[in-house]
Amino acid sequence: MSVSIAAGSIVDTSVLFLRLFNSSIQIFESIKFNISQKIKLDFIDKRSNELIPSCLDDIISNVGTQCHHKSKKVFSEKKDSGNKEEEPEAVFNVLDEMLKGSLDRLKAMRENISWAHLGVTGCNLGADYSQHLAIIKALCLESKLGVALWLRNSMLQKFLVPDVLTHNYLVNGFCKSGDLETAKWIVIDMLCRGPSPNCATYNTLMVGYCASNNLDKALDLLSTMSTCAIRPNRVTCNILVHALCKKGLLGQATKLLGEILEDKPKSKTSNLITSTILMDGYFKNGDISSALAIWEEISQGHKTMDVVTYNVMIHGAGLSWQSRFTYRFVSEMYKKGLMPDVFTYNTLLRLLFKEKRTIEASYIFRVMSKMGVTPDIVSYRMLIQGLCINGDIDIATEYLHLMLEDSVIPDLYIWNALIDGYGRYGDVQQAFYIRDQMVAYGVLPNIFTYNALINAMTREGKFVEANNLKTEMIFNGVYPDVVTYNILIGAACRLGYVHIGLLLHDEMLRKGYHPDIITYTQLMKGYCLIGKVFNAENLFDKMLSSGLVIGHVPFLIIIKKQWKMGELDKAYENYQIWLERDK
């Protein structure tokens, strides 16, 4: 009786185990199917759809086979041992261990494949919160904004909200790249999900709007800050005041400053940076008295003035006053222990060349290096352009060689100044040499370069070579403009080839260019030169009826020619028209 009961219990236990085992296998197959389907949906691109599911199916089938073999092995071992009571528990433990291990491996494999597919190395979803934030900041600094935004969204899906500083990095990155819509969307998303934007967030977006010349949206952000109970700070004031001053809206800038700071009118410029911005704006708009009032307020306020404040004052003095005041402010800088920077010296160079004091400008340039201030590209540009304008082309070329020795590649403006200088002073060969040297250093000629060379050729009377140069510039992807045609028309008319000048005029019209007063003046001068005064008078009448703004040169040409021919009535009539137009 006991044997039959034992046998019955063993049979019942085996049946129960088989049922449980089959249920486990069904659960495992269901999990396998769900996992494979989930991974298939996650990877949309074609290559992933081809490779990943097949690999997973192979792995899962191998796991299932191993599970089956291990279960058979357990059964055989347990049957051989003769211990019937421990059989079900041992099998369940082995089955649980295999299922758990398989699922853990599948989860880890899926996470690794996901990160590898997205190209993010060194990261996984189990990384520490601070590591995620550090990665986002680093990606923003490297301008990898798409990956940074994706990582931020992945954190939000895991209920990990990046702090406001990390969001500010994202907003700043998108503003610098010019994608203001995405930057604005991030700020709106911060308002919805958190963290709440702070003053720095709005200031960053405000700078982006001002850089894109969208002042209205920048001012709208000021209203948004008030709605969100965020008080604007000094940085906000400086951003908006600077943007308003750039547009010449100084009254609105002063009013806005008073509204933001809620100060009395006398203390509106209490901040040195704000005062400097306003003072620079007044100088540029010609309001010297207001600028001097701010300077006086700064001086009496016993504030520690910096180099930027003095630079604004020196620049403003050069724009509006006599240049002798600039040296007084430079002297004050030295007395207060402030060393002039490159902007200070560039301002002095500009003023000296404006007054044609070339020797003093060259001396100031040499002083810069001795005082430890390295000249920048602007310094070299002003020096070389000033020397070329004053006819010191050879000295300018020496400074060009000095730049090249210091591994500073001159910009296009410097090369063009030298080419134009040599062309105007008759050294065409040296002008072309500078052009070839420019191309050798990787700087491509533009329309000004070719116009300077064409003008140099026409000055030498080489009209055919100048016209061939026009063809060369078209071949190199630089197209003639009105100046190019005016130079060639003037050269043709000076040589007596008025018919070629007319052909060039017609070519201008075919290519969509509009001849200006210089074009018609050159043609009229050409007619007078070859004695076709009647044609010149007809062209002059067309110029009068065309509505073009006519200067004194066409009147002088036609009146002088009519006077020489004895047509005094016509000359006097044109003289009266000239007087009427000058009123």
Side-chain angles (χ1 to χ4, degrees):
M1 184 70 179
S2 59
V3 174
S4 62
I5 293 173
S9 63
I10 292 171
V11 172
D12 293 339
T13 303
S14 300
V15 172
L16 178 61
F17 167 74
L18 290 174
R19 289 179 178 176
L20 291 172
F21 180 77
N22 290 333
S23 299
S24 301
I25 293 298
Q26 291 175 0
I27 293 170
F28 179 78
E29 292 293 336
S30 176
I31 293 171
K32 177 185 77 171
F33 177 79
N34 291 335
I35 291 174
S36 62
Q37 290 299 316
K38 175 64 176 174
I39 294 176
K40 287 178 182 179
L41 291 174
D42 286 343
F43 296 90
I44 305 204
D45 65 301
K46 184 177 180 180
R47 185 177 179 184
S48 299
N49 283 331
E50 292 175 355
L51 298 177
I52 294 173
S54 61
C55 295
L56 290 175
D57 290 339
D58 293 339
I59 294 170
I60 293 172
S61 62
N62 291 334
V63 171
T65 304
Q66 291 176 8
C67 177
H68 179 66
H69 287 320
K70 287 188 178 182
S71 62
K72 288 177 67 177
K73 183 178 179 182
V74 169
F75 269 114
S76 63
E77 290 177 353
K78 295 302 177 183
K79 287 179 181 179
D80 294 339
S81 65
N83 191 352
K84 307 298 182 182
E85 295 180 0
E86 296 180 1
E87 211 174 84
E89 183 178 359
V91 172
F92 292 151
N93 291 338
V94 172
L95 183 60
D96 289 343
E97 182 181 356
M98 287 188 295
L99 288 174
K100 183 176 180 299
S102 300
L103 292 175
D104 289 341
R105 286 193 297 273
L106 288 172
K107 179 182 177 183
M109 181 186 67
R110 181 179 181 276
E111 291 175 351
N112 291 334
I113 292 174
S114 300
W115 284 92
H117 173 69
L118 291 166
V120 182
T121 60
C123 306
N124 54 63
L125 294 177
D128 187 68
Y129 175 78
S130 60
Q131 292 179 345
H132 283 285
L133 300 186
I135 292 170
I136 292 176
K137 294 174 184 176
L139 291 171
C140 290
L141 293 175
E142 295 177 3
S143 300
K144 298 177 180 178
L145 301 174
V147 181
L149 187 61
W150 178 89
L151 183 56
R152 177 251 185 193
N153 294 336
S154 298
M155 292 182 66
L156 292 177
Q157 291 175 3
K158 296 293 181 180
F159 304 101
L160 299 173
V161 181
D163 58 11
V164 67
L165 179 61
T166 307
H167 280 88
N168 288 348
Y169 270 90
L170 284 166
V171 173
N172 183 56
F174 281 105
C175 286
K176 285 185 176 180
S177 67
D179 191 356
L180 296 174
E181 289 299 322
T182 304
K184 180 183 177 182
W185 174 82
I186 293 173
V187 175
I188 295 173
D189 198 48
M190 290 173 69
L191 293 170
C192 297
R193 298 203 229 183
S196 298
N198 58 11
C199 190
T201 311
Y202 287 105
N203 287 346
T204 304
L205 188 57
M206 200 176 291
V207 170
Y209 282 130
C210 291
S212 63
N213 201 24
N214 199 335
L215 185 58
D216 293 334
K217 288 190 177 181
L219 293 172
D220 289 340
L221 279 179
L222 190 63
S223 303
T224 305
M225 293 175 69
S226 302
T227 305
C228 298
I230 297 176
R231 182 179 176 81
N233 57 11
R234 285 283 182 182
V235 178
T236 314
C237 298
N238 295 337
I239 293 169
L240 293 175
V241 168
H242 184 257
L244 289 168
C245 288
K246 283 178 67 177
K247 288 186 171 291
L249 306 173
L250 294 170
Q252 291 86 333
T254 307
K255 181 181 177 182
L256 178 66
L257 183 62
E259 291 176 356
I260 292 176
L261 301 179
E262 297 179 355
D263 291 334
K264 296 180 181 180
K266 292 184 179 180
S267 59
K268 286 179 184 176
T269 58
S270 57
N271 181 268
L272 182 61
I273 299 175
T274 313
S275 301
T276 304
I277 294 171
L278 284 173
M279 187 168 62
D280 183 57
Y282 282 125
F283 274 130
K284 289 179 179 177
N285 283 272
D287 192 353
I288 303 172
S289 59
S290 298
L292 290 177
I294 294 177
W295 173 262
E296 191 67 23
E297 184 180 345
I298 295 173
S299 303
Q300 293 178 357
H302 302 289
K303 296 185 182 138
T304 304
M305 288 182 283
D306 56 7
V307 177
V308 178
T309 309
Y310 273 103
N311 284 343
V312 169
M313 199 64 186
I314 292 169
H315 183 66
L319 289 175
S320 310
W321 310 341
Q322 297 179 5
S323 60
R324 58 189 176 87
F325 287 100
T326 60
Y327 302 107
R328 191 190 79 180
F329 290 117
V330 173
S331 231
E332 284 186 14
M333 290 179 67
Y334 279 111
K335 290 177 182 178
K336 293 187 177 182
L338 298 174
M339 297 300 295
D341 59 6
V342 66
F343 185 85
T344 314
Y345 285 109
N346 287 347
T347 305
L348 293 175
L349 288 173
R350 185 181 296 108
L351 293 174
L352 291 170
F353 278 118
K354 184 179 179 181
E355 297 175 355
K356 297 184 178 181
R357 297 160 67 180
T358 309
I359 298 175
E360 295 181 25
S362 301
Y363 172 75
I364 290 292
F365 186 85
R366 291 193 297 270
V367 167
M368 288 178 65
S369 301
K370 293 180 180 179
M371 296 299 294
V373 180
T374 304
D376 60 2
I377 194 70
V378 178
S379 309
Y380 280 108
R381 184 190 304 165
M382 285 191 296
L383 180 67
I384 293 175
Q385 286 181 340
L387 291 170
C388 290
I389 291 172
N390 288 288
D392 299 321
I393 314 297
D394 294 332
I395 300 175
T397 306
E398 291 178 5
Y399 282 108
L400 174 71
H401 295 156
L402 181 62
M403 290 182 69
L404 297 175
E405 289 174 3
D406 294 338
S407 300
V408 180
I409 303 301
D411 60 9
L412 188 59
Y413 297 99
I414 295 175
W415 295 106
N416 285 341
L418 289 166
I419 292 171
D420 181 61
Y422 278 116
R424 283 190 292 108
Y425 287 94
D427 195 345
V428 180
Q429 184 178 357
Q430 188 67 16
F432 275 94
Y433 172 76
I434 295 292
R435 192 276 305 266
D436 296 338
Q437 194 176 15
M438 174 181 71
V439 174
Y441 278 97
V443 182
L444 297 179
N446 64 352
I447 184 63
F448 185 89
T449 313
Y450 282 106
N451 285 344
L453 292 172
I454 291 173
N455 188 42
M457 300 290 285
T458 56
R459 284 174 179 268
E460 296 291 317
K462 300 177 181 179
F463 178 79
V464 176
E465 291 83 352
N467 195 52
N468 291 336
L469 198 58
K470 178 174 73 75
T471 306
E472 177 187 330
M473 63 186 290
I474 296 174
F475 180 77
N476 291 328
V478 182
Y479 296 95
D481 59 0
V482 176
V483 177
T484 312
Y485 282 105
N486 285 344
I487 294 172
L488 291 171
I489 290 172
C493 291
R494 285 196 301 272
L495 294 172
Y497 305 142
V498 182
H499 62 285
I500 297 179
L502 293 173
L503 291 175
L504 290 169
H505 171 266
D506 295 339
E507 183 180 335
M508 288 179 67
L509 296 176
R510 287 197 305 272
K511 294 191 175 182
Y513 296 109
H514 299 286
D516 56 10
I517 188 64
I518 298 176
T519 312
Y520 293 115
T521 302
Q522 297 288 356
L523 289 171
M524 191 176 68
K525 188 186 296 185
Y527 278 128
C528 292
L529 185 64
I530 62 176
K532 294 184 178 181
V533 183
F534 179 75
N535 293 340
E537 290 175 345
N538 288 337
L539 185 59
F540 182 71
D541 293 337
K542 289 180 181 179
M543 291 170 63
L544 292 176
S545 61
S546 64
L548 292 172
V549 179
I550 302 176
H552 66 282
V553 176
F555 284 98
L556 289 176
I557 292 172
I558 197 69
I559 291 172
K560 185 177 180 180
K561 190 64 178 178
Q562 290 171 344
W563 183 271
K564 285 183 177 181
M565 294 181 64
E567 299 178 351
L568 303 182
D569 294 337
K570 290 183 179 180
Y572 182 75
E573 182 182 352
N574 287 325
Y575 177 72
Q576 291 295 327
I577 295 173
W578 184 12
L579 293 178
E580 289 294 328
R581 282 179 171 264
D582 282 345
K583 289 182 179 180

